[in-house]
Amino acid sequence: MEHAYGVFHPVGGVNQLSKAMAKVVQEHGGAIHLNQGVKLYSYHVASTVGLMLLPILAPKTHRELEADAISLGIAMQITNILRDIGEDLERKRVYLPKDFMNEKGYTIEMLYNQEINPAFISI
């Protein structure tokens, strides 16, 4: 069965998941700067897992829960991104949305210099 977002679940979902993740990273060059890019990446690495599990965990109500599963997956991945800012930076990966950084006056140079200031905290 194919989900509206193009991810096949529950059978075959894992194969499609790795392809989708690779595509997102490739399109964004390993550094995802736009808010939509972060959401798309988060969808592929986290929400798809929830969507694949829904028919198993909630067989009678999984259709009604799809939007919530997607939102929860995105929220969980954004939490991971925030937790791993330093580790990702060491790997030359930046998942903080550049539009948010620009809006708050926080630059990529500040990030690489590990400046923790009010602008960084507000992001």
Side-chain angles (χ1 to χ4, degrees):
M1 172 178 14
E2 185 176 347
H3 186 269
Y5 291 92
V7 175
F8 296 87
H9 68 82
V11 179
V14 175
N15 293 334
Q16 294 300 319
L17 176 61
S18 60
K19 289 177 188 175
M21 287 171 34
K23 181 180 177 186
V24 170
V25 172
Q26 181 182 26
E27 286 176 1
H28 294 280
I32 301 173
H33 293 298
L34 300 175
N35 189 29
Q36 281 305 108
V38 171
K39 286 183 180 177
L40 180 63
Y41 175 81
S42 298
Y43 169 81
H44 283 295
V45 299
S47 296
T48 52
V49 175
L51 289 172
M52 287 186 287
L53 290 173
L54 267 181
I56 298 165
L57 299 174
K60 294 180 181 176
T61 59
H62 67 93
R63 294 267 185 235
E64 295 85 23
L65 298 173
E66 285 182 355
D68 293 330
I70 291 169
S71 294
L72 179 60
I74 290 170
M76 289 171 56
Q77 187 58 34
I78 289 172
T79 299
N80 288 342
I81 288 168
L82 293 174
R83 181 195 66 207
D84 297 338
I85 290 173
E87 184 179 317
D88 289 331
L89 202 55
E90 289 173 7
R91 295 177 177 165
K92 305 291 187 226
R93 297 179 186 158
V94 176
Y95 296 99
L96 295 176
K98 190 174 184 181
D99 50 350
F100 288 170
M101 292 173 64
N102 289 341
E103 180 183 313
K104 301 298 181 180
Y106 194 79
T107 66
I108 194 76
E109 291 80 18
M110 291 173 161
L111 186 62
Y112 277 106
N113 290 329
Q114 300 180 4
E115 292 183 34
I116 309 298
N117 58 30
F120 175 82
I121 293 168
S122 70
I123 293 170

